[in-house]
Amino acid sequence: MSEPTGGFSLDPGDDLREVRDWVHEFAATVIRPAAAEWDEREETPWPVIQEAAKIGLYSLDFFAQQWFAPSGLGIPVAFEELFWGDAGIGLSIAGTGLAAAALAAAGTPEQQGEWLPAMFGTAGDVKLAAFCASEPDAGSDVGAIRTRAVHDEATDEWVLNGTKTWATNGGIADVHVVVASVDPALRARGQATFVVPPGTKGLTQGQKFRKHGIRASHTAEVVLDDVRLPGSCLLGGKDRLDARLARVREGGRSGEQPAMRTFETTRPTVAAMAVGVARAAYEYARDYAGTREQFGRKIAENQAIAFLLADMATRIDTARLMTWRAAWLARTGRPMPQAEGSMSKLVAAETAVWVTDQAIQILAGAGYTRDHPVERWHRDAKIFTIFEGTSEIQRLIIGRAVTGLPVR
């Protein structure tokens, strides 16, 4: 039988298989042995990040190579393995990528060349970056962002004031990427994105959150008090911002929404994270069911358990395929008429929650204890139905796409 033509294949190819196996090895030998400790400590796992930097896993080169892989599957494949290891440590390694994606989406080539390397640092001097969009009163409703950026014509500086929340690496990052309103009347289309360099006066960490899951990932408020930035820190530059705002004020619909644009490009990667957590729980429950005996036989021989494992495996495969499709569509510039990016995140997130819940059920009382990792994976999984757009917001986006109506 001849090979299919048309340039499309579900075979990831040798290069991606090598990446998958490389990241999996790191996840299995470095991340998993450290996962429970850093979950208990609720601290950034600097030693693990440094180990990732030493082998090139935490680096601009790695993220760029995988982000721009021709198939679009580089980051999804790598992140599934990373989060198979542990979601909290995985997010500590991957969190800088969200800020990098925001910079790549809005910044000029010159800004990218200056700030992307500064976000990661080097193997001997690891740096972090944080993307700051959400606020206490503006989570799902990004149009309600109150952090204000005012241009000082006399100095060509921007002055930022406000409070950001739920920021991964917030306050401890070397580089912060901040979404702020420059024209509140225009809501989301009146926003712009700024890069805040290391050591900038007026930026401080607010409350650090103690979380249900992903505890090894630092999440905190970021307070901006008269933060003054040179004009060069406005991503895309002022000319482009002025032209965009003029189009919007004239009634045009071409205004970009900085926060939403970043989320759209990263949703398939979040979906891949969820798939990794779900797969970890499924594999553990499958192996446990294959060895645990009750009433004289392995519990996997019971149809109820076997059917449950079958459903877990099927849902995970479905979520992965949807994730790969969305990533491929995004990378190749194809349209997503049914909001396929949101579909992938919705399905993968809810799959992770369901699968981890069923894994606990299969282990029964053992699964409810910290002697087994499924309880941690269950706690970690819940975040995927919340951050970068709740499941309800994903359904809203998909509903608007499939009906063509302003669903509210």
Side-chain angles (χ1 to χ4, degrees), residues 16 64-75 331:
L16 279 180
Q65 289 169 6
Q66 302 314 313
W67 188 267
F68 294 108
S71 64
L73 303 185
I75 290 293
R331 178 67 187 92

Side-chain angles (χ1 to χ4, degrees), residues 71-86:
S71 64
L73 303 185
I75 290 293
V77 166
F79 279 14
E80 179 180 332
E81 299 305 325
L82 197 62
F83 282 70
W84 173 90
D86 180 69

Side-chain angles (χ1 to χ4, degrees), residues 23 26-52 57-58 63 79 81-96 128 168-169 211 213-218 273 277 376-377 380 384:
V23 178
F26 183 83
T29 60
V30 180
I31 293 178
R32 280 205 169 179
E37 174 190 351
W38 291 101
D39 177 71
E40 289 285 347
R41 292 175 63 168
E42 298 190 51
E43 296 174 0
T44 301
W46 286 106
V48 182
I49 299 173
Q50 289 163 350
E51 287 299 312
L57 176 56
Y58 182 80
F63 275 76
F79 279 14
E81 299 305 325
L82 197 62
F83 282 70
W84 173 90
D86 180 69
I89 294 177
L91 192 57
S92 289
I93 294 172
T96 291
L128 298 177
T168 299
N169 298 334
K211 305 187 297 295
I214 56 168
R215 294 177 178 177
S217 173
H218 175 94
M273 298 174 186
V277 174
R376 185 177 73 249
W377 294 330
D380 291 341
F384 298 110

Side-chain angles (χ1 to χ4, degrees), residues 94-223:
T96 291
L98 181 58
L103 176 58
T108 64
E110 293 75 19
Q111 290 170 326
Q112 294 176 34
E114 179 178 4
W115 294 112
L116 284 174
M119 290 180 169
F120 292 89
T122 64
D125 185 21
V126 172
K127 306 295 185 183
L128 298 177
F131 180 60
C132 306
S134 294
E135 297 185 0
D137 296 317
S140 297
D141 183 9
V142 296
I145 284 176
R146 294 182 180 179
T147 295
R148 191 73 201 279
V150 177
H151 188 237
D152 185 338
E153 299 283 352
T155 61
D156 189 28
E157 291 180 318
W158 289 89
V159 184
L160 275 62
N161 284 282
T163 299
K164 295 295 182 179
T165 194
W166 314 124
T168 299
N169 298 334
I172 66 170
D174 298 274
V175 179
H176 291 75
V177 176
V178 178
V179 178
S181 174
V182 296
D183 188 341
L186 299 178
R187 288 181 56 81
R189 292 190 293 169
Q191 296 167 0
T193 308
F194 299 84
V195 61
V196 183
T200 298
K201 292 181 179 179
L203 185 149
T204 57
Q205 179 185 308
Q207 176 187 4
K208 177 186 174 182
F209 296 104
R210 300 187 66 188
K211 305 187 297 295
H212 177 65
I214 56 168
R215 294 177 178 177
S217 173
H218 175 94
T219 309
E221 291 179 329
V222 174
V223 180

